[in-house]
Amino acid sequence: MLAASAALAQPKSHATPHQPVAPLHAQACAGCHGQNGAGQGGTPILAGYDPAAFVRVWGEFRNNQRPTATIMNRIARGYSDDEVAALAAYFASVKR
């Protein structure tokens, strides 16, 4: 009975084999880049983005090397390197 209670208390993952679990901070990206990085409007698609390129571009935003950016140059400064790496891994794992 205790084993059954413990099993019921375990959090359930809402991920499917086709949709990995997003890190919590990826939810902030959805406002501009769409759910799961699918893209919307004129913003780039993040789903399937190469993780090394993601980290490089993020650094360019953070270091003001993309002066035509409207808001990402400010947003990028608020994330740690570990958070950026987690975002890069997540978006790389999402299928387009």
Side-chain angles (χ1 to χ4, degrees):
M1 175 111 96
L2 284 176
S5 296
L8 291 174
Q10 294 297 319
K12 296 185 184 205
S13 171
H14 296 288
T16 66
H18 303 290
Q19 181 183 357
V21 175
L24 184 58
H25 44 276
Q27 296 307 311
C29 305
C32 296
H33 293 276
Q35 279 299 80
N36 301 316
Q40 65 183 19
T43 59
I45 296 171
L46 299 179
Y49 208 99
D50 175 72
F54 186 96
V55 171
R56 178 183 50 76
V57 169
W58 195 281
E60 291 171 0
F61 283 124
R62 186 184 281 169
N63 296 317
N64 247 0
Q65 294 171 323
R66 291 186 166 229
T68 59
T70 57
I71 195 166
M72 276 304 301
N73 55 348
R74 295 181 299 246
I75 291 172
R77 292 185 191 110
Y79 286 78
S80 71
D81 291 341
D82 288 341
E83 290 170 328
V84 174
L87 287 170
Y90 166 69
F91 286 118
S93 72
V94 176
K95 303 294 181 224
R96 285 187 181 212

